[in-house]
Amino acid sequence: VYKRQAQFNYFIVSELFFNKFSFGFLAHHMLLYGCGEPGSDRTVWNCGEMNQNEGDSADQSFGVCAPGSATQIIYAWARDAPKLELPPDVGFKVGKDSEIKYLVLQVHYMHAFGMKDRDDSGVFIHYTMRTMPKLAAVLLLGTGGIIRPNTTENMETACRITENKVLHPFAYRTHTHSLGKVVSGYRVRKDIATGHEDWLVLGLSLIHISEPT
């Protein structure tokens, strides 16, 4: 967990995953969260989102951000993905005039490892105090369900955008584990009068190499 001085505004313009020991084979994926308040005042804690170890009790698990706190995903990395470079004049706003006061890094590991194993997983953050004219954000969509043996399933998820904002999608990241074959994203606009839907492809990814679970 990391806190910048709240009396200033900062704009994060790029992030780069770093692990000189595992190169993506120890850390499966990571999420950098912006929080109004962190889920714990500890330096490291169990966020309770995945499997817990035997003997873990409820009071040893805390959320990434505090209950009721502002929460925003700023960076997502998985399996040796390239660094994130935002377009010119675009940044994630944190600090004084933002709800985001803390940065919390959540790491999901490939396998459990012992005390002798070394892990330097982390993120380099490049930021500026120069005000960015455009703000960055992450829209995270996920699916869930059951895939029966020897069957094909199509899973869908959607989010209705009701804010009066102009959005410019510029990056598209997929994460499917071992069963995913194709992931596609669309912008859908519906004509209320005619009922016609206009589908525009924002991104399409063919999963050629299965990711480990």
Side-chain angles (χ1 to χ4, degrees):
V1 60
Y2 181 65
K3 181 180 182 180
R4 290 298 303 174
Q5 296 179 349
Q7 65 265 37
F8 302 110
N9 286 324
Y10 302 89
F11 294 85
I12 299 173
V13 296
S14 72
E15 288 110 339
L16 171 65
F17 165 81
F18 174 73
N19 187 317
K20 66 181 180 180
F21 292 100
S22 74
F23 295 101
F25 293 101
L26 184 60
H28 182 271
H29 65 277
M30 303 193 307
L31 295 170
L32 180 64
Y33 285 86
C35 302
E37 292 289 338
S40 172
D41 58 2
R42 301 178 181 179
T43 304
V44 179
W45 68 90
N46 181 356
C47 65
E49 290 195 0
M50 306 298 282
N51 295 331
Q52 294 189 5
N53 295 325
E54 293 183 6
D56 283 354
S57 60
D59 61 355
Q60 293 177 306
S61 177
F62 306 91
V64 176
C65 299
S69 166
T71 304
Q72 177 184 359
I73 293 179
I74 295 178
Y75 178 58
W77 172 93
R79 301 295 293 141
D80 299 323
K83 66 180 294 188
L84 172 65
E85 286 280 7
L86 296 181
D89 298 327
V90 177
F92 292 94
K93 185 178 182 180
V94 300
K96 179 182 178 182
D97 297 325
S98 168
E99 294 181 328
I100 304 306
K101 311 298 183 185
Y102 290 82
L103 299 179
V104 179
L105 181 65
Q106 181 189 69
V107 183
H108 293 241
Y109 292 100
M110 295 280 290
H111 309 285
F113 54 94
M115 296 299 294
K116 294 183 179 181
D117 294 322
R118 183 170 179 176
D119 175 37
D120 280 1
S121 301
V123 173
F124 285 113
I125 295 175
H126 297 268
Y127 67 89
T128 179
M129 296 179 68
R130 180 174 64 89
T131 300
M132 297 286 102
K134 297 179 181 179
L135 297 180
V138 174
L139 177 62
L140 176 64
L141 298 175
T143 61
I146 297 174
I147 302 177
R148 294 176 175 82
N150 302 313
T151 63
T152 298
E153 290 286 348
N154 297 310
M155 297 183 176
E156 294 186 357
T157 181
C159 178
R160 185 184 297 273
I161 306 296
T162 58
E163 295 179 278
N164 185 23
K165 291 182 178 179
V166 178
L167 304 180
H168 300 277
F170 64 88
Y172 179 75
R173 172 67 181 166
T174 64
H175 190 70
T176 66
H177 288 234
S178 60
L179 298 180
K181 299 301 181 183
V182 179
V183 180
S184 55
Y186 300 85
R187 183 218 65 194
V188 182
R189 287 178 176 170
K190 185 174 182 178
D191 189 312
I192 304 246
T194 65
H196 174 73
E197 292 184 348
D198 177 48
W199 290 59
L200 174 67
V201 178
L202 298 178
L204 189 148
S205 177
L206 301 177
I207 312 301
H208 296 293
I209 301 176
S210 296
E211 297 180 4
T213 57

